[in-house]
Amino acid sequence: MTTEKKNGALVSIIAMMFLFAMISFVTNMAAPFGTIWDDHYSWAGMMGNMMNFAAYLFMGIPAGILITKIGYKKTALVALALGFVGMAVQYLSSTMSATEFSTYIIYLVGAFICGFCVCILNTVVNPMLNLLGGGGNRGNQLIQTGGSLNSLAATLTPMLVGMLIGETTEKTTMESVQPLLIIAMAIFLVSFAIIYFTKLQEPELEAQNVADGVKGAMSYRHLVLGIIAIFFYVGIEVGIPSQLLFYLTEPVAEGGVLGSAPIAGTIAGIYWLLMLVGRFSSSLISGKVSPRSQLICTSALAILLLLAAIFMPEDVKMTLKGAEVPVKVLFIILCGICTSVMWGVIFNLATEGLGKFTAAASGLFMTMVVGGGVMPLIQSFLADAVGDIQSYWLVIAMLGYLLFYALVGSKPAKQAE
């Protein structure tokens, strides 16, 4: 590779990692914002998150088509423009009466548009890093490195939102997070300018019929099973800290643990901080340790941690961030180390050996990220019926599938012709 190509690849990698952080910044606003709406409508807490991820179902395949039609860079610019619009719509909802149901609908529309943004960015970033790294262990290593920045943004976002919200009451409205929404719009504008003026080295794309691309990608069994795995994984990643946030913010007068959004946001932020630690560690070892081995170890460990959290007595407590909480909270938070590597390794395993079908596969892959909206919503309904902690049995079941995928389903193979 010439020096010019090496420099071009380096610039492209840095740009993709920056966009990785943007994805998390947008996504992780939904759950903290949900604590505001939860006090106005008891069923509304996870709906913003649901709308954010529901967009993947509609945009996953079109995002893959966009890449093949206009390339990775222009597709990223489309995503950033949509992100600005989505934040602007949410800002509009923050200027309206919180008692009007129409205000909540406008907020959900904004969350849905932001979902289009992060779906497209994910469709761009993951295959770009994997292809720039040449696939295999090196491709996974780049994804995990980008994931470290993703986790850093994820750590800071709920903490920042929690500080702005303060104590949640029926009088708390979106107006309290207006500064963050303004900052977000400014970041999208700056990001658009940076990517626009950056010369990216893009992988060569082979023009292909959309139907042929999807059919070709779906002929690989390990991709099909990987698509199911990512549906469950995103539900796991989002559901673990989101349900913990609701568990911690439930008013003490109603039997809750803390009833404080700032402290709960800080504690939930530790989960994302541990994801940062896990992804950074994975980026150091992924050149030598295979994605399959990483997925086997982390899914098995996460199951053990959640079993410990479920069976640990509620009255066994510890001090965390200056607050007294059940020790089971620590076991739930520690799952962040496990979930940290799963996105990158599942994507790497699912797209291994797909060649020209990678862009189509990435679109299919992103479509199933809708699991991040569906499964936490189901977990939330389950929590209403059996309790916040008992709802984690659903997460354990999903982790069981990931363990199966790591052991059996991820072995590259085409479907029988």
Side-chain angles (χ1 to χ4, degrees), residues 331-349:
F331 288 116
I332 295 172
I333 290 171
L334 286 173
C335 288
I337 294 177
C338 303
T339 57
S340 62
V341 305
M342 291 178 177
W343 172 272
V345 298
I346 294 172
F347 184 87
N348 182 273
L349 290 170

Side-chain angles (χ1 to χ4, degrees), residues 29-292:
M29 286 183 182
F33 284 0
T35 63
I36 296 174
W37 292 108
D38 190 54
D39 284 314
H40 294 278
Y41 308 103
S42 60
W43 49 268
M46 289 301 293
M47 284 303 296
N49 180 78
M50 174 63 190
M51 295 300 289
N52 199 277
F53 281 96
Y56 280 83
L57 183 62
F58 299 95
M59 199 65 213
I61 293 176
I65 296 171
L66 266 180
I67 292 173
T68 59
K69 295 288 186 182
I70 64 177
Y72 285 91
K73 178 178 176 176
K74 290 181 179 178
T75 302
L77 291 174
V78 170
L80 293 172
L82 283 171
F84 176 84
V85 173
M87 287 298 168
V89 173
Q90 290 185 70
Y91 179 81
L92 176 63
S93 74
S94 74
T95 65
M96 302 172 67
S97 172
T99 59
E100 296 292 335
F101 186 68
S102 58
T103 302
Y104 182 59
I105 296 299
I106 291 173
Y107 159 73
L108 291 180
V109 170
F112 191 62
I113 296 172
C114 282
F116 284 145
C117 163
V118 291
C119 174
I120 298 172
L121 287 181
N122 260 317
T123 311
V124 169
V125 168
N126 288 277
M128 272 283 281
L129 287 176
N130 199 38
L131 291 170
L132 287 168
N137 288 4
R138 172 62 177 163
N140 178 50
Q141 190 171 34
L142 287 181
I143 292 175
Q144 297 299 349
T145 302
S148 298
L149 293 177
N150 181 279
S151 294
L152 178 60
T155 301
L156 298 176
T157 302
M159 293 181 181
L160 182 56
V161 177
M163 286 188 292
L164 290 171
I165 294 174
E167 301 295 328
T168 56
T169 68
E170 291 184 359
K171 295 182 179 180
T172 306
T173 69
M174 287 288 289
E175 185 178 359
S176 59
V177 294
Q178 280 184 355
L180 183 60
L181 292 169
I182 292 172
I183 291 171
M185 287 187 284
I187 290 175
F188 272 110
L189 286 177
V190 172
S191 301
F192 186 94
I194 290 173
I195 298 300
Y196 182 83
F197 290 107
T198 299
K199 185 176 181 180
L200 299 181
Q201 178 183 317
E202 301 194 23
E204 291 186 11
L205 294 170
E206 180 180 331
Q208 57 186 232
N209 180 276
V210 174
D212 290 342
V214 171
K215 182 180 179 181
M218 291 293 285
S219 68
Y220 290 83
R221 182 177 61 86
H222 65 287
L223 171 67
V224 175
L225 296 178
I227 288 172
I228 299 172
I230 210 64
F231 178 86
F232 286 144
Y233 162 69
V234 188
I236 292 167
E237 182 198 282
V238 176
I240 289 176
S242 296
Q243 200 58 53
L244 178 63
L245 199 60
F246 285 101
Y247 173 64
L248 293 174
T249 54
E250 187 176 345
V252 176
E254 298 176 14
V257 177
L258 289 174
S260 170
I263 298 176
T266 300
I267 292 175
I270 299 174
Y271 169 89
W272 299 107
L273 179 61
L274 290 175
M275 285 192 70
L276 169 61
V277 172
R279 283 173 171 169
F280 180 74
S281 300
S282 178
S283 70
L284 297 178
I285 67 172
S286 287
K288 297 181 180 179
V289 181
S290 71
R292 183 172 290 106

